[in-house]
Amino acid sequence: MAPSVTYSSTRGSATEASSSFREVVLAGLCKDKGLFVPDTIPTVGRGELESWRTLNYAELSTRILAKYIGPDQVPAEDLSRIITTACGNFRHPQVTPLQKVNGHYVLELFHGPTFAFKDVALQMLGGFFEYFLKQGSNGGRLAVLGATSGDTGSAAIAGLRGKEGVDCVILYPKGRVSEIQERQMTTIMDENIHCCAVEGTFDDCQDIVKGAFQDAAFRDEVKLGAVNSINWARVLAQTTYYFWSYLRVTDTNKEPGTKVSFSVPTGNFGDILAGYYCRRMGLPIGELVVATNENDILHRFFQNGDYSRRDINKTISPSMDICVSSNFERYLFHLMDDDPEKLSNLMKAFEATSRLTLSGRTLARAQEDFKSAKCDTAQTLDVIKTYKEKHGYMLCPHSAVGVSALDQLDMVKDTSVALATAHEAKFPDAVKMAVNPLPEAPPELARLWKMKTRSQVCDNDLAAVEDFMRKRIRERLERGKAVVQYGKWVLGGAFVAAVLGVVAVAVTRRKR
Ligand SMILES: *Cc1c(COP(=O)(O)O)cnc(C)c1O
């Protein structure tokens, strides 16, 4: 039976046409290098949206996601359980609460296990992986390999720890991630988590991951999977908080026809893309603002159609330090009227020349879809300082970029929402330049300094990393078998003891 909701590659490969949600989640990336997009975008009518006003976060999320997943993939009850479990790992009952600060709203996305917004999606992705593997998909096993410069690795580990059937290997550049971020990864002792410090840079780590995915034999052998931001389930999970924000803002602002605008600190374009899909679904969104740091490829695109690769600038908002945006292809596909051939030609030209230019009517349409602003280091620090001094509110450097964009575009008002993507205590060195002394860190982060760590150093070499993965996965499988074997002995022993006991009782009775 064909799945009720289907997905295809942005680049149009025939083998990946009409894929199911399950296939999309487990594969991550398409084999033709494209990204999975839904074949149709479901809609939400005004009446339905209003009926969602009384739902809690997990209930709301279940209604939205069901439109993209379908009961043939995950029946409603199971979907609700996966989502409720994921939301239960957040410290705040509203999961992503809104705060009113300086006349606009701040959407706090940092109440998950690792204090950054990536938790919202990765807690759910872990649940989906486990669900599909338990049903025997992929032979019941998946080995996730990811590279991180900071936030992604810890959020992936927090989402996948202890998940049945899943091994998770995270590569990070040795000595080049912040100590908090490293400890958020290496203090996790679950046996299915394997941290690997590579003697190289973040780019080296990424190259190794790419190399492993291109090694077809290895990919099949270990059943390789991906958790990076191109996984559709991550974009999908993030749609929930746009709906949630709209409903909460209009709980108080009841003027008919109110539209809510969002400013989103952007790197790989995954977070704001979720907002774009929400607007396509019919959510009354006003502006979607792409807020960038000095790595401004997206700002240049939305200002004058110039999407061209430049070298990375190291900034104080490192999770937005990118030279190209991996999710941008999905938006370009829709901008090309969902035409895979036009999109493939664009992407091929970009891959060959590192440059893509759009103009005229197409650029004008892109500028209707998104506004943009750029915020440099001095502006970022200034916003952090002002918000602390004038409003008693702490922003992390990423969140400050989003707030600055609202200010630059004259959008500070009570229908605007700035997304706060991380807790300031994750970036103490940067924040200290604006606010000194710093507020006390949350106990979950302060505790990291006293905890035991575990990690292995690995050569900057694909074969070495592949060996490391094979070895760790084999060890774990064997340990699993040993536990089963041990269990059998214990059970066997108990059985023998019970039989002897019965015989002994019988014998004693007879003697009487
Ligand atoms: C990943 C991340 C971002 C950027 O999100 P994208 O989806 O890549 O645009 C912004 N802020 C923080 C704290 C992040 O971890």
Side-chain angles (χ1 to χ4, degrees):
M1 198 180 71
S4 57
V5 181
T6 57
Y7 296 83
S8 300
S9 168
T10 48
R11 303 202 188 179
S13 78
T15 50
E16 274 146 337
S18 300
S19 294
S20 68
F21 179 73
R22 172 189 311 244
E23 290 164 333
V24 165
V25 168
L26 291 173
L29 188 70
C30 301
K31 296 214 170 77
D32 65 357
K33 286 200 195 157
L35 305 183
F36 285 107
V37 281
D39 290 328
T40 51
I41 298 177
T43 54
V44 179
R46 284 299 155 91
E48 190 176 19
L49 184 56
E50 275 312 310
S51 75
W52 288 354
R53 198 171 279 287
T54 50
L55 303 179
N56 70 26
Y57 188 95
E59 290 163 346
L60 175 68
S61 188
T62 306
R63 302 295 169 92
I64 301 165
L65 267 60
K67 290 186 177 274
Y68 286 91
I69 296 174
D72 53 303
Q73 296 295 299
V74 186
E77 256 175 50
D78 294 338
L79 184 62
S80 165
R81 190 170 32 78
I82 292 168
I83 292 175
T84 308
T85 306
C87 293
N89 294 332
F90 281 68
R91 291 177 301 277
H92 199 287
Q94 294 195 9
V95 185
T96 64
L98 285 150
Q99 306 282 352
K100 195 131 182 217
V101 187
N102 188 26
H104 64 85
Y105 286 95
V106 174
L107 174 63
E108 295 183 342
L109 299 174
F110 50 73
H111 294 282
T114 72
F115 293 81
F117 98 99
K118 291 182 176 67
D119 286 327
V120 177
L122 282 161
Q123 287 295 316
M124 270 187 216
L125 186 61
F128 283 126
F129 279 160
E130 188 172 55
Y131 180 77
F132 290 138
L133 296 180
K134 267 189 185 160
Q135 294 190 331
S137 295
N138 233 19
R141 275 178 47 215
L142 184 72
V144 166
L145 176 63
T148 189
S149 57
D151 283 345
T152 309
S154 55
I157 287 171
L160 299 179
R161 61 187 293 189
K163 292 281 185 256
E164 214 172 294
V166 182
D167 276 279
C168 172
V169 177
I170 297 294
L171 310 180
Y172 62 93
K174 186 171 169 241
R176 292 174 200 244
V177 299
S178 85
E179 201 163 352
I180 290 187
Q181 290 177 327
E182 180 164 3
R183 283 181 167 268
Q184 282 189 306
M185 299 190 275
T186 57
T187 51
I188 304 293
M189 292 294 153
D190 296 68
E191 284 191 353
N192 71 329
I193 302 299
H194 319 290
C195 293
C196 185
V198 173
E199 306 264 16
T201 63
F202 172 59
D203 287 327
D204 294 329
C205 296
Q206 258 185 328
D207 286 344
I208 291 175
V209 172
K210 272 187 213 149
F213 275 91
Q214 277 155 16
D215 180 346
F218 178 72
R219 205 172 61 199
D220 292 343
E221 177 194 335
V222 301
K223 312 227 189 280
L224 208 56
V227 284
N228 47 12
S229 69
I230 47 114
N231 195 306
W232 168 253
R234 286 185 57 179
V235 176
L236 184 56
Q238 289 160 192
T239 56
T240 312
Y241 50 72
Y242 287 91
F243 277 85
W244 176 261
S245 299
Y246 171 81
L247 291 168
R248 297 297 75 83
V249 169
T250 53
D251 277 341
T252 45
N253 190 328
K254 291 190 194 310
E255 225 160 285
T258 296
K259 287 187 173 182
V260 176
S261 295
F262 295 89
S263 177
V264 187
T266 297
N268 274 321
F269 208 73
D271 196 356
I272 197 163
L273 185 69
Y276 169 81
Y277 279 109
C278 291
R279 187 159 58 195
R280 294 279 306 265
M281 292 171 78
L283 187 69
I285 292 181
E287 308 293 356
L288 285 170
V289 180
V290 174
T292 76
N293 63 22
E294 284 97 331
N295 297 291
D296 62 348
I297 180 168
L298 290 167
H299 179 57
R300 283 183 276 125
F301 174 77
F302 286 109
Q303 291 307 302
N304 43 44
D306 163 33
Y307 190 79
S308 58
R309 188 186 182 116
R310 287 193 192 153
D311 288 343
I312 276 201
N313 282 305
K314 265 185 88 92
T315 75
I316 57 170
S317 42
S319 301
M320 293 151 66
D321 288 349
I322 47 94
C323 42
V324 296
S325 282
S326 49
N327 264 298
F328 193 55
E329 173 163 345
R330 286 194 165 107
Y331 173 62
L332 280 177
F333 172 78
H334 295 308
L335 191 59
M336 296 294 117
D337 302 312
D338 295 7
D339 181 338
E341 201 173 306
K342 273 196 207 158
L343 186 272
S344 300
N345 291 338
L346 266 188
M347 292 312 295
K348 274 181 202 141
F350 177 71
E351 277 153 20
T353 63
S354 292
R355 167 160 222 160
L356 180 160
T357 346
L358 294 181
S359 57
R361 182 74 202 111
T362 316
L363 177 59
R365 275 176 51 206
Q367 290 169 333
E368 280 164 28
D369 287 335
F370 295 96
K371 299 285 174 281
S372 75
K374 166 185 173 176
C375 176
D376 65 22
T377 303
Q379 286 169 304
T380 307
L381 291 173
D382 194 44
V383 169
I384 296 175
K385 189 168 155 54
T386 308
Y387 268 64
K388 173 67 178 143
E389 284 176 0
K390 286 209 180 135
H391 313 292
Y393 189 83
M394 285 299 299
L395 290 163
C396 93
H398 309 78
S399 313
V401 167
V403 167
S404 165
L406 276 189
D407 189 39
Q408 291 181 45
L409 297 176
D410 215 3
M411 285 172 55
V412 174
K413 54 182 171 191
D414 66 359
T415 50
S416 293
V417 178
L419 273 58
T421 49
H423 192 288
E424 87 278 353
K426 277 193 95 163
F427 303 94
D429 296 340
V431 178
K432 226 184 298 175
M433 292 190 273
V435 174
N436 206 352
L438 291 175
E440 206 174 314
E444 294 89 343
L445 290 179
R447 202 184 298 144
L448 289 175
W449 303 98
K450 296 194 207 108
M451 291 167 71
K452 236 173 65 182
T453 64
R454 186 189 62 174
S455 151
Q456 184 158 337
V457 179
C458 210
D459 283 346
N460 176 10
D461 174 50
L462 175 60
V465 170
E466 288 186 351
D467 272 348
F468 169 78
M469 268 186 96
R470 276 194 197 98
K471 206 167 138 241
R472 294 306 303 261
I473 294 170
R474 200 183 321 122
E475 275 171 14
R476 224 168 70 75
L477 284 175
E478 275 161 13
R479 212 172 302 138
K481 272 189 215 147
V483 169
V484 171
Q485 191 56 49
Y486 179 71
K488 280 184 189 158
W489 285 336
V490 171
L491 278 180
F495 179 70
V496 170
V499 169
L500 286 178
V502 170
V503 170
V505 169
V507 170
T508 352
R509 278 202 181 148
R510 209 182 257 178
K511 273 188 183 158
R512 275 184 198 158

